[in-house]
Amino acid sequence: MELPVIYQGSPAGRLVLEEAGGRLRAEMDCPLDRTGLFRGCLICRDGEKILGVLEPKGERLRLCRMLLREEVQALGPAERGELRLSFAFRQEQGWQTLPCPEQFFHRAPFGQALQGREGALWRESRGLRLLALPFDSAHPFPLTSLFCFAQVSEIQGRRFVVFAFDAEERPVMPDPCHKM
């Protein structure tokens, strides 16, 4: 039986329950989330069973447990899996998500180059507006025309290319002595 996994009211993966002798094999699989440690739960009509902490495996969070069938049956029919944040890792302060990165700029041409880009962050620091775009060396470099103004940094456990702009939206060279 395959059940959806929910995190904060949204779909977050799948939970597969399979018969294995006199037991149930519970296998949870969700996309990797680097914001903390997550615990998986089996939610049934009359109760819940905590399955344990999911482990990062590649770009996924996974968990596999053997459960006593009688223990699960006592909770009523299985309805869904749930992902719960058990421990939040320390987050970089001040970074905010930027759902529409093209709106970061008020003038062309940089805004057009950001159309459709996902995962962007922004914040203000020392009188500058900082723009962080996810960076993966297997993909084209973001905002290639601003390559020399870029600084690669780790934010929230992921690699980003960070650009700094003054109040007139002019790019500013990164300070090699100060991480953006």
Side-chain angles (χ1 to χ4, degrees), residues 165-176:
F165 299 90
D166 66 16
E168 283 79 41
E169 297 185 353
R170 293 181 299 222
V172 175
M173 286 298 255
D175 180 351

Side-chain angles (χ1 to χ4, degrees), residues 4-43:
V5 173
I6 305 299
Y7 176 60
Q8 296 182 337
S10 298
R14 67 187 185 112
L15 173 62
V16 176
L17 298 175
E18 294 177 332
E19 294 284 333
R23 297 177 178 244
L24 282 176
R25 176 185 167 100
E27 197 167 330
M28 190 176 280
D29 178 61
C30 302
L32 182 63
D33 185 327
R34 297 181 197 317
T35 60
L37 292 177
F38 291 87
R39 188 170 305 280
C41 298
L42 169 63
I43 307 300

Side-chain angles (χ1 to χ4, degrees), residues 12-14 29-33 55-62:
R14 67 187 185 112
D29 178 61
C30 302
L32 182 63
D33 185 327
E55 300 176 63
K57 304 248 175 150
E59 290 298 310
R60 310 293 297 172
L61 288 174
R62 297 184 191 264

Side-chain angles (χ1 to χ4, degrees), residues 92 95 121 123 125-126 128 130-136 141-143 146-155 158-165 171-180:
E92 297 284 333
W95 288 105
L121 304 173
R123 74 174 181 167
S125 176
R126 298 175 308 167
L128 300 173
L130 304 179
L131 173 66
L133 301 172
F135 175 67
D136 180 350
F141 192 85
L143 293 177
L146 298 176
F147 178 83
C148 61
F149 294 98
Q151 182 174 355
V152 176
S153 297
E154 187 171 304
I155 303 169
R158 293 179 50 209
R159 286 177 38 175
F160 283 82
V161 176
V162 181
F163 301 95
F165 299 90
V172 175
M173 286 298 255
D175 180 351
C177 299
H178 183 71
K179 183 181 168 191
M180 288 199 247

